[in-house]
Amino acid sequence: MSQKHETPLLDELEKGAFPSFVKEIKRAAEHSEYAQDLLGQLELSYKEKVTHWKHGGIVGVRGYGAGVIGRYSDVPDKFPGVAHFHTVRVNQPAGFFYTTDALREICDIWDKYGSRLTNMHGSTGDIILLGTKTENLEPVFAELSSRGWDLGGSGSAVRTPSCCVGPARCEWSCYDTLELTYQITQRFQDELHRPMFPYKFKFKMAGCAVDCIASIARADMSIIGTWKGNIQIDQEEVRNYAKNGMDIQAEIVDMCPTGCMSWDGNELKINDEDCNRCMHCIAKMTKALRQGEEKGATILLGSKAPIVTGALMSWVIVPFIKLEPPYEELFDLVERIWEFWDEHGKNRERVGELIERMGFPVFLKETGLEPHPAMVKEPRRDPFFFWSEEDIEK
Amino acid sequence: MSQKHETPLLDELEKGAFPSFVKEIKRAAEHSEYAQDLLGQLELSYKEKVTHWKHGGIVGVRGYGAGVIGRYSDVPDKFPGVAHFHTVRVNQPAGFFYTTDALREICDIWDKYGSRLTNMHGSTGDIILLGTKTENLEPVFAELSSRGWDLGGSGSAVRTPSCCVGPARCEWSCYDTLELTYQITQRFQDELHRPMFPYKFKFKMAGCAVDCIASIARADMSIIGTWKGNIQIDQEEVRNYAKNGMDIQAEIVDMCPTGCMSWDGNELKINDEDCNRCMHCIAKMTKALRQGEEKGATILLGSKAPIVTGALMSWVIVPFIKLEPPYEELFDLVERIWEFWDEHGKNRERVGELIERMGFPVFLKETGLEPHPAMVKEPRRDPFFFWSEEDIEK
Amino acid sequence: MSELPQRQTDIGPPHYSKFLPPVIKENYGKWKYHEILSAGVMVHVAESGAKIWSVRVASPRLVSTDFIRDICEIADKYCDGHLRFTTRHNVEFLVSDESKVEPLVNELKEKGYMIGGIGDRISNVVHTQGWVHCHSAATDASGLVKALMDELHEYFHTKELPAKVRLAVACCVNMCGAVHCSDIALVGVHKTPPRIEHDKVKNLCEIPSTVASCPTSAISPDPAKKSVKIKLEKCMYCGNCYSVCPAMPIADPKNDGVAIVVGGKVSNLRSNPMFSKLAVPWLPNNPPRWPEVVDAVKTILNAYIEGARKHERLGEWVERIGWEKFFKVTGLPFKMQHIDDFTFARETWRMAATFKW
Amino acid sequence: MSELPQRQTDIGPPHYSKFLPPVIKENYGKWKYHEILSAGVMVHVAESGAKIWSVRVASPRLVSTDFIRDICEIADKYCDGHLRFTTRHNVEFLVSDESKVEPLVNELKEKGYMIGGIGDRISNVVHTQGWVHCHSAATDASGLVKALMDELHEYFHTKELPAKVRLAVACCVNMCGAVHCSDIALVGVHKTPPRIEHDKVKNLCEIPSTVASCPTSAISPDPAKKSVKIKLEKCMYCGNCYSVCPAMPIADPKNDGVAIVVGGKVSNLRSNPMFSKLAVPWLPNNPPRWPEVVDAVKTILNAYIEGARKHERLGEWVERIGWEKFFKVTGLPFKMQHIDDFTFARETWRMAATFKW
Ligand code: SRM
Ligand code: SRM
Ligand code: SRM
Ligand code: SRM
Ligand code: SF4
Ligand code: SF4
Ligand code: SF4
Ligand code: SF4
Ligand code: SF4
Ligand code: SF4
Ligand code: SF4
Ligand code: SF4
């Protein structure tokens, strides 16, 4: 197909060293009306400096409330190919591993029913199939699901859980991030596909405090691997790092946030009692240092983007939990949290915002969690606090 | 006079090494009915674990709304001596310096009209004459004022300004804290004696960032001395400190918050560009280090106790100001701030709380102050912010 | 469409184990260490001694199925059909056979793929939909990324930085992604209030939730019009009302633009995770190359490179030197907008007499 | 009262210069350095070489005129009638003549004054009125100070600490003083809501300001009773309503008590000024010696002495080791009440995966 619309502004973005999304749209446009008109409409946006999409209406596949983002052009007459341009969110496999067969299977389906354009992947983690019309949603879903693929989350639902590469290819993963991601996804299929919460709920699983999935910043529940026990030191390897040019004093010891290390040019010492398991030393000397032996995870809750009262990061609600199948302790906790949220949450109120509004202590009480100093960076300042009946002398 | 009431609980507090307030009340009680009944009522409070004072009504001296704290016993029948027990706040001389003559003059007056009890001084800084009855207020005031003493502040007024010892006996004072305190007090006599603000307004003057008057924690306007220019180093004296046992690396260099110092065992170097003038090194090596030569002060605004939404410390509103008589630039600023407060402040809203409610940028705009990075520890996080008409393209 | 296969529901994604290369299956959870061999190649070594090489290439993320087929072809040739994507949307070719690494790299180079992103570098830019797919966008995302990375790509494939520098772009303050915790991030912002299309409000919007959506309580019901009204001086143009009520469009081509926030991080290494803070409140939307924005990012990045210590993330560097110094060394102007007047006001005003001249 | 002298108004305090010793007048603003000679004696040396010795003694602050006359007598003998009070309410004898220092010290000792408070020690306790003079007090202040200092006085006159330790006591959360920024401070707290004396409300209180006084909006008008009502589960017993409305007494002898807050400072040395944070939410009012409170303070102080580095203030020590460690080394229990659920919640919850076991 030859290009339908002139795109002088976008053409500029075909130049330059970094891979170009414009080139990608153009490649798709060789076989796709959608992509043709997307180019046209996008060029118009570049010219007018404004989006030409309208709010999405409610579209989706039968029986699901989630998984599709409806999208309509506000200039459908000019660009009929994108009059409807709905996104299908396909739940990625944990860890973003694929075989080429699997990827081609998805491409085949999308070439047939959609724009030939994708995001690999969306920020939440889904395979984003970018743009099709309403009547194609059911066929796409039938094709996908019959081949073992399912849709991800959207709306006021569990959102597609995702994780770092974890034990699949990383020496620091303190629990099986992929398996847990898979199990959570399976366990909460209903909550994922049928929005019934006050707002969205995201899970992100990171194997250690390096947090390569940015879980602490963008998951209502952030599960971050950690350990108990002493960091294991291979002194020979430490000396090798030194030999190979690492300034262990400056790069490791002086940068340890707790100041719990020392190095005399021959031996590295760690006062493990003071280590806060930040991962710096281990990450920089991966051959020499290994995490303590008792592995598990810290559960944090509440992060989200800045709307409405500023961004939140997740905070500690369970300092340490062993994470092994069947994960019942974790699932129980999740359900207690949702109950609390269901009961008290307002429409469009994330769980973190709710806890901030109601008070973290109230949340702990209602979900049966014990207060622990790990939950706070520092105790409260002002001396106003609640007491319960049982604390009062009558 | 022999003791009127048994005070077994208070008697316990006559024991022990630290000077005893009970002993002081008893000494006063030898000549004072007030003190006799104060002992009695206080013993009752110790027994019952509750205060026996009622809210103060409006009492004072003619023409003033401030300077007296009314106080009434809730058990006046038992303790008629403290049925009324009003406090007279006498404005202290700047720096808390006295001659013995001056002090005796006050004692004489108070022995005649009051309880013979005082606080030297109140937390704000006043000489607190502790307890007299309503009809004695005018005489006390006449005696005091005829001898050159005046009352301090109370209620929704300027409160008695106070300062550190400053240039009178300290090598680090960057401006004349005593003179400024005196001048502010004089300039705002009307505002001090006749409450007409939304709430109290306190001034505290500290000669340097050591802040020996705790101004940053408890003054609506905190004026803290500082300097520009390099710290002056006497290397010989530095070496003397080292010789006399100071571990300059550990105690000075490593504790410098900006890491701008170095010490090679012979010479101390400071990268003054990075110094934040915290005063640590200077305070610990007073013979060797002296402040930079261009002296002035930083003005901070807003501190207060925790009621209602948590304590505030004062924050920077003027990074640097030269402070020399007649201080007109400062007084102008104070008046602009009061205008802003007058116009927008709610009843019982401190100026810091008001600025928090209205927004610091609004305050800057309305008082004509320029934004400066020194005003913030860090810029805002969330990307929601106001623009003015002139910033908008129509 | 009669030939449609039988649909299934609630089956969830395929189990990841179907897609793992054999060496990973065998050494799953038993990796010992890794080595970064070049900007785009690293090897992980298992306790068993087994190894896997990962070769990373940049992706524009918005890719055609042709792109996917291309990389599949390469993966078939060198990786027995195994590949993955990273959490920042790069492609990783997973090689089990050392002898295939170099040929793979060569073929990738030949075909013009950009190999890199590993180690202390700029990796891919986490970003969002923009004018490509979102009604909410105040700017485009893919275009900004392309404009930025065309200038910064050397830091992807060649040059090293003091530490990783994570870039992100979001096209509106909903901030899909991790702009609020990135080293340097761009976010599309409005500067003017929404316009109320009163006739549409009653059909399209629920009044109470529209009123509730406003963070500053600028919106109140307007019963006469069966609509809402806005106290203009309270509106800080967040667009949240437009998210819940389509009849309150806020896009304004003349005044929409891009803010730059800096100094965030999510890793726990050394310092705790940090939020990004405002560096530049507004720069014009100047597609296709947003030169003002790209320049400002370069200015910030260069100041960081100049000033930071090894292993120091951008936010750590700024915390060490102080924000007042950040504005000095970058030359960026400090404005009213930098001063928080919202949630974190109290925590961010300088309640101390210490700062640097 | 006919012999009353003529009153004057708005004259302000006497000018301080009337009270300065000559050596101060001469060397005003020209001091060069000082030396701490002992726990209670220091000398300041002027550029001119002139010197002034300050001898500091403790005061209970609540003093009789007899006390003042006593110290005046001493000042006449050794200081040419010059003395001052410090900002923490100690007395400072100002000696211009070196030969008088030792005799002064001796006489002070003989007469039982406690000399000290200078240097890295505990100085006087900034405190408030308590049951001696305030209607708002949830505990006594002078008594707590005396009970505390009887146990800690060695740190005033003899023993040294890693750095200055500033103690404060406030008898209610109005916190007259600097409790909110002290190393260790006690504050009187309530644990039960106010009781509304409906019949009195209408005469004594202004309903709107009473309603407005409540930080948690627990109070609303009760028009039927011409009074107010309290949503009990929202009340956190701050007593601010009682401050504005005397008909809402909150004192409750069985449940009022003392909270301990720690780690505040106001100086800018090294670290920025810091707020105090809650260490112990409640201990019983147990006059006259408050043994539980005194014990807890000693526990905290001892842990600090044990753990802190030289020059490190208590808050700096805790920040270095972490609050979780503070609770561990002091053995103080961590409770629901320690977790902020009010203004600073967001800033104080641990948004990081790092903490110490
Ligand atoms: C597609 C995606 C961006 C992308 O290009 O990757 C996306 C796109 C949208 N997001 Fe998002 N969000 C996406 C990940 C995120 C993330 C990041 C994450 O999940 O890791 C965040 C920040 C974390 C968080 O959840 O707070 C995010 C925070 C939001 C918000 C703000 C929510 C809040 O509570 O503050 C909104 C506004 C809303 O919910 O109305 C939003 C709303 C939207 C909507 C649905 C617009 C709307 O208001 O209805 C966007 C649809 C665009 C379109 O037409 O395609 N999106 N959104 C991401 C989902 C892809 C996927 O499924 O994999
Ligand atoms: C006498 C004194 C305590 C003392 O023993 O030293 C004192 C005593 C009272 N203060 Fe205070 N305040 C005293 C210094 C302070 C300070 C410290 C300071 O000024 O440096 C503060 C903290 C800083 C601040 O201003 O925030 C302070 C913060 C309060 C507050 C809380 C104000 C707020 O905005 O949060 C109240 C409550 C009120 O205003 O209703 C208060 C109210 C009171 C009242 C008037 C009680 C009341 O609610 O009406 C007390 C009278 C007690 C009495 O009967 O004698 N007092 N008050 C201090 C004044 C002495 C003097 O004039 O020198
Ligand atoms: C492949 C990936 C995980 C995945 O599941 O896809 C990954 C893989 C590794 N990360 Fe990561 N990180 C990945 C996203 C992240 C993220 C998340 C993000 O950027 O959104 C972070 C947090 C960034 C932040 O703090 O804002 C992240 C922060 C780190 C760090 C901490 C850097 C720091 O100093 O703060 C390390 C440790 C290091 O570099 O020494 C690390 C180290 C590693 C190691 C060395 C772990 C290992 O032993 O395998 C891996 C290769 C290093 C590399 O790429 O330089 N990885 N890494 C992600 C690659 C994204 C990409 O394409 O570039
Ligand atoms: C006399 C007095 C000023 C006055 O106008 O009355 C004063 C006088 C001096 N202070 Fe101070 N400070 C005085 C209250 C304060 C306060 C205010 C307070 O406690 O409410 C502070 C702030 C406390 C805080 O941060 O919470 C204060 C924090 C300091 C510091 C900082 C200590 C630190 O490491 O943070 C120094 C410097 C030092 O000790 O090296 C200092 C140093 C000094 C010097 C050495 C200054 C000098 O060169 O003369 C003086 C004698 C030191 C001493 O007492 O150890 N002074 N000093 C005050 C004595 C109060 C008392 O009776 O103990
Ligand atoms: S978060 Fe930890 S376990 Fe996961 S990939 Fe990163 S470094 Fe490895
Ligand atoms: S993990 Fe972090 S805190 Fe622990 S020793 Fe290493 S650098 Fe220090
Ligand atoms: S604040 Fe500074 S100038 Fe004033 S007494 Fe303290 S150290 Fe001296
Ligand atoms: S004043 Fe403070 S910041 Fe400046 S050099 Fe001395 S210790 Fe460092
Ligand atoms: S950041 Fe805003 S404009 Fe961009 S995809 Fe998300 S909701 Fe849409
Ligand atoms: S744009 Fe934001 S601040 Fe303005 S009216 Fe809408 S919701 Fe309120
Ligand atoms: S702290 Fe409270 S009780 Fe004590 S004097 Fe101040 S207002 Fe009165
Ligand atoms: S005590 Fe405080 S929280 Fe309780 S009702 Fe009164 S003002 Fe409100």
Side-chain angles (χ1 to χ4, degrees), chain B residues 71, chain D residues 128-130 134-139 141 169-176:
Chain B
R71 191 59 72 219
Chain D
T128 47
Q129 295 297 328
C134 196
H135 65 290
S136 190
T139 190
V169 172
C171 21
C172 84
V173 300
N174 280 339
M175 282 196 192
C176 304

Side-chain angles (χ1 to χ4, degrees), chain A residues 161-164 173-177 180-181 184 188 201-226 296-303 314-315 317-323 327 330-331 333-334 337, chain C residues 268, chain D residues 353:
Chain A
S162 64
C163 64
C164 76
S173 198
C174 296
Y175 69 97
D176 190 340
T177 54
L180 181 59
T181 299
I184 287 180
F188 300 122
F201 192 96
K202 296 181 178 173
F203 289 97
K204 285 191 170 69
M205 273 53 75
C208 77
V210 174
D211 198 357
C212 294
I213 185 81
S215 71
I216 203 166
R218 48 189 195 136
D220 299 274
M221 183 173 278
S222 318
I223 304 181
I224 300 183
T226 196
T298 300
I299 303 180
L300 304 94
L301 202 77
S303 65
S314 294
W315 61 89
I317 63 161
V318 178
F320 194 79
I321 185 172
K322 294 244 168 205
L323 282 177
Y327 308 111
L330 174 67
F331 293 148
L333 174 63
V334 169
I337 292 170
Chain C
N268 286 271

Side-chain angles (χ1 to χ4, degrees), chain A residues 20 22 42 61 70 112 171 229 255 263 265 278 280 332 378 384:
Chain A
S20 170
V22 174
L42 190 57
V61 303
K112 191 159 159 202
E171 63 268 36
M255 286 194 142
W263 165 245
C278 81
H280 173 70
D332 273 7
E378 58 187 48
F384 320 137

Side-chain angles (χ1 to χ4, degrees), chain C residues 290-339:
Chain C
W290 284 268
E292 298 86 351
V293 177
V294 173
D295 272 4
V297 171
K298 281 163 76 180
T299 300
I300 294 165
L301 188 70
N302 288 335
Y304 163 68
I305 293 170
E306 180 104 340
R309 296 184 183 150
K310 189 163 183 187
H311 302 315
E312 208 171 38
R313 293 282 295 269
L314 195 141
E316 295 171 318
W317 162 66
V318 182
E319 295 267 289
R320 176 167 59 78
I321 67 167
W323 283 93
E324 69 277 28
K325 204 86 182 179
F326 170 82
F327 285 97
K328 198 167 171 184
V329 298
T330 56
L332 297 171
F334 185 84
K335 302 188 170 178
M336 289 285 184
Q337 285 76 18
H338 287 105
I339 303 178

